[in-house]
């Protein structure tokens, strides 16, 4: 099945494909890497977490296992059907209005690097509106060489090969294609992305009432931000 409701996004392979080109069946096979460790080290124990763009629960489930309370938000009902142990909400991130606040708001999966500035502003506003004044927002952003060190290939210990290619398409936007090759099946995802240098990233956060507190990983892809007045 193939669909591509978001401009510049599409996916191929068996099973349901979400509007941004993600395969539900693919993500059901993918396990977490070091993300749960990064998150756990950055926030207090047993924090309440609002996970924006949870997908099938790739991060949700290990976070619940570590004692966090998670509310998982995704626009795909097919994705949310796979989530267990969390309260779920089928909603776009940009239009989310839960009317409550959380210790931690999580915006992972490079969602911050959307090619659409207006969508990014709305996502960051959602983050600010749903985090407590004493809480934090954890954001995963693309590294500085994400679009320049291509093509690249990684063989995962679980048995699949991931290949990435990327090319500029103008106005600071890149078109990237990820291929996931398993012994029995292959999925692809094509999407558009806008890299954000640290200065531009900090400015985007400031416009939403957030400020960078610290970079959490050596490659500067994970960031902890705090709400500001």
């Amino acid at each position: 099945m193939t669909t591509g409701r978001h401009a510049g996004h599409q996916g191929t392979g068996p099973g349901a494909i979400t509007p941004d080109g993600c395969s539900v069946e693919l993500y059901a096979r993918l396990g977490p890497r070091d993300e749960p460790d990064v998150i756990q080290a950055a926030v207090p124990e047993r924090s309440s977490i609002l996970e924006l763009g949870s997908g099938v629960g790739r991060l949700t489930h290990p976070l619940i296992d570590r004692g966090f309370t998670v509310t998982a938000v995704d626009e795909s009902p097919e994705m949310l059907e796979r989530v267990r142990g969390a309260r779920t909400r089928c909603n776009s991130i940009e239009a989310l209005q839960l009317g409550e606040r959380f210790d931690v708001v999580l915006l992972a999966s490079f969602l911050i690097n959307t090619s659409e500035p207006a969508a990014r502003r709305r996502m960051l506003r959602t983050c600010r509106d749903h985090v407590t004044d004493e809480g934090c927002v954890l954001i995963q952003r693309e590294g500085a060489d994400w679009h320049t060190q291509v093509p690249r290939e990684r063989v995962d210990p679980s048995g699949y090969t991931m290949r990435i290619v990327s090319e500029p398409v103008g106005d600071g936007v890149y078109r990237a294609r990820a291929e996931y090759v398993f012994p029995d099946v292959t999925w692809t995802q094509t999407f558009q992305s806008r890299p954000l240098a640290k200065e531009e990233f900090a400015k985007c956060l400031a416009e939403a009432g957030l400020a960078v507190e610290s970079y959490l990983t050596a490659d500067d892809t994970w960031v902890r931000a705090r709400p500001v007045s």
Side-chain angles (χ1 to χ4, degrees):
M1 180 185 299
T2 303
T3 184
R5 184 160 58 85
H6 288 320
H9 293 245
Q10 63 180 4
T12 66
I17 305 291
T18 65
D20 60 354
C22 294
S23 163
V24 176
E25 297 298 330
L26 166 63
Y27 277 86
R29 292 194 185 195
L30 300 181
R33 301 179 69 188
D34 64 347
E35 299 100 332
D37 294 333
V38 172
I39 296 165
Q40 184 175 22
V43 302
E45 293 182 0
R46 302 193 176 278
S47 294
S48 61
I49 297 178
L50 174 63
E51 184 185 5
L52 302 175
S54 66
V56 299
R58 188 177 65 88
L59 301 184
T60 317
H61 299 145
L63 291 174
I64 290 172
D65 290 343
R66 297 175 187 219
F68 296 104
T69 302
V70 182
T71 296
V73 176
D74 202 278
E75 68 177 347
S76 166
E78 295 91 348
M79 287 283 196
L80 288 177
E81 286 175 1
R82 308 296 183 102
V83 175
R84 299 290 180 266
R87 179 176 59 157
T88 61
R89 176 71 175 264
C90 189
N91 212 105
S92 71
I93 297 171
E94 297 92 323
L96 185 68
Q97 295 180 347
L98 291 181
E100 58 184 295
R101 296 191 175 191
F102 300 80
D103 301 324
V104 181
V105 177
L106 178 60
L107 187 67
S109 301
F110 310 124
L111 294 174
I112 190 70
N113 291 104
T114 173
S115 63
E116 302 175 12
R120 181 176 59 248
R121 286 192 291 269
R122 291 193 296 269
M123 283 193 288
L124 287 174
R125 192 68 243 176
T126 294
C127 293
R128 180 63 181 89
D129 288 345
H130 290 84
V131 67
T132 65
D133 291 340
E134 300 78 23
C136 66
V137 178
L138 299 186
I139 300 171
Q140 186 183 27
R141 59 189 288 271
E142 292 174 349
D145 62 352
W146 204 94
H147 293 281
T148 57
Q149 298 299 314
V150 290
R152 62 182 180 272
E153 180 177 301
R154 176 176 65 85
V155 179
D156 192 86
S158 64
Y160 71 90
T161 299
M162 180 181 182
R163 302 186 180 104
I164 298 284
V165 295
S166 181
E167 62 178 359
V169 294
D171 192 30
V173 175
Y174 285 75
R175 180 185 296 114
R177 183 178 185 272
E179 182 180 53
Y180 299 83
V181 181
F182 289 78
D184 59 330
V185 66
T186 296
W187 282 280
T188 72
Q189 181 185 5
T190 301
F191 56 95
Q192 292 190 2
S193 176
R194 185 183 299 273
L196 296 172
K198 281 187 174 181
E199 296 79 8
E200 185 178 5
F201 173 69
K203 181 179 179 181
C204 291
L205 264 61
E207 291 173 349
L210 298 166
V212 173
E213 182 181 55
S214 60
Y215 284 85
L216 303 175
T217 53
D219 60 4
D220 293 336
T221 58
W222 278 95
V223 184
R224 182 171 57 211
R226 293 287 186 184
V228 294
S229 302

